Amino acid sequence: MQTNIELRECADEHLPEVLKAQVLSFLRISWPEGFTGPNRFRDWTSHPDLRPHHLLYAAGSQLVSHLEIITTTVSVGGEHYVVQSPTAVMTFPAFRGEGWAGRLVAAAVARIDAGQADVGVLTCGPHLVEFYSRAGWELAPGATILAGADGSTWVSDDLLLTRSVGPRSAAFKASLREHPMRVADEW
């Protein structure tokens, strides 16, 4: 049986329940630490305050690959910046190696570049830097990410990649060389 795999894009509130359930199941397996304590039974992919926007490939009601773009504010050197970030990038194992995630990252780049953010940022492990660099993301060497609010700050182990999208991007990148990026919570 041949089923067409199609690109879909939607705001969080319009993500079909059947696809949302698959995204949440995959997130629970891939990032179990996001589903502990008070978030053990969470029913959201990214916190609604981050205004998640979903890009995905699906064959009918079967999820193939997913990415969401979140929007938030971070601070560097006492200045606040609006950032957009691709997150929850994942492809089900049966479809890996076919370029689905790469196409989603390219679509996310186009959307972020056309948006109103000061800068694009993403965090990832070292093994993914080359993947994102192919889409134009630049490693911010030595950048520190401090996450947490109300004195419960921790240093993220992830690497930071950036993308210039607005007139304040250069100031963000320059300040990042001397100051940590502070976020309320990891995403």
Side-chain angles (χ1 to χ4, degrees):
M1 169 196 258
Q2 178 65 26
T3 303
N4 290 335
I5 298 174
E6 298 176 334
L7 176 65
R8 298 186 193 175
E9 183 173 344
C10 63
D12 195 48
E13 61 272 14
H14 299 297
L15 181 63
E17 283 298 320
V18 66
L19 296 173
K20 180 179 177 181
Q22 293 172 70
V23 172
L24 282 168
S25 293
F26 203 145
L27 287 172
R28 284 185 180 102
I29 292 167
S30 297
W31 294 284
E33 62 278 2
F35 295 85
T36 60
N39 290 329
R40 185 174 180 195
F41 296 104
R42 84 178 213 210
D43 63 353
W44 38 268
T45 58
S46 285
H47 196 278
D49 289 348
L50 299 174
R51 302 186 313 259
H53 186 85
H54 302 270
L55 303 172
L56 56 94
Y57 281 101
S61 62
Q62 182 178 352
L63 183 64
V64 170
S65 190
H66 174 269
L67 173 152
E68 63 190 52
I69 300 169
I70 58 162
T71 303
T72 191
T73 301
V74 301
S75 67
V76 179
E79 289 290 321
H80 295 283
Y81 298 89
V82 174
V83 300
Q84 287 192 312
S85 178
T87 189
V89 181
M90 53 196 179
T91 301
F92 274 93
F95 301 98
R96 289 185 181 155
E98 297 175 12
W100 300 109
R103 287 191 284 271
L104 287 177
V105 170
V109 161
R111 185 171 181 82
I112 291 168
D113 286 356
Q116 300 298 314
D118 294 317
V119 66
V121 299
L122 68 80
T123 61
C124 68
H127 65 288
L128 291 171
V129 171
E130 183 180 332
F131 170 75
Y132 288 111
S133 293
R134 287 192 300 261
W137 293 89
E138 299 174 353
L139 179 64
T144 302
I145 306 164
L146 297 180
D150 302 327
S152 61
T153 299
W154 70 95
V155 177
S156 173
D157 293 331
D158 287 337
L159 297 175
L160 182 68
L161 284 80
T162 64
R163 182 168 187 81
S164 294
V165 298
R168 297 186 69 215
S169 292
F172 174 89
K173 289 179 178 185
S175 187
L176 193 59
R177 290 196 263 304
E178 300 196 18
H179 304 283
M181 181 177 83
R182 296 181 177 274
V183 300
D185 199 0
E186 282 188 303
W187 56 80

